[in-house]
Amino acid sequence: MYVLIGAGSKPTGGYTMGISKISYDTVAKAYVYAYVKRPTPDMMVTQAESYPNMLIKINGSKKLNNIDGEVQEIIVDTVP
């Protein structure tokens, strides 16, 4: 199963996306915790609207039919 995680429209480039955790509520349902980190104010980035996203593949679970999740915006310089 492939899961596309998106952070929506952002005013510039330089955003970083990642996965914090994937948990399974039941055999058929998973929950994905993701983050998007904005660029630092002094970072040189492209001045164009961007759509940060990532595609992940979940192996092994043939019965998985429901995936939910949340994307959290990280402001600090530390990445989990």
Side-chain angles (χ1 to χ4, degrees), residues 12-17 36-40 43-46 48 50 52:
T12 65
Y15 286 82
T16 305
M17 288 209 63
V36 61
K37 180 180 171 268
R38 73 170 74 168
T40 58
M43 182 183 238
M44 188 177 295
V45 296
T46 183
S50 65

Side-chain angles (χ1 to χ4, degrees), residues 13-24:
Y15 286 82
T16 305
M17 288 209 63
I19 302 293
S20 301
K21 179 173 77 168
I22 298 175
S23 64
Y24 295 92

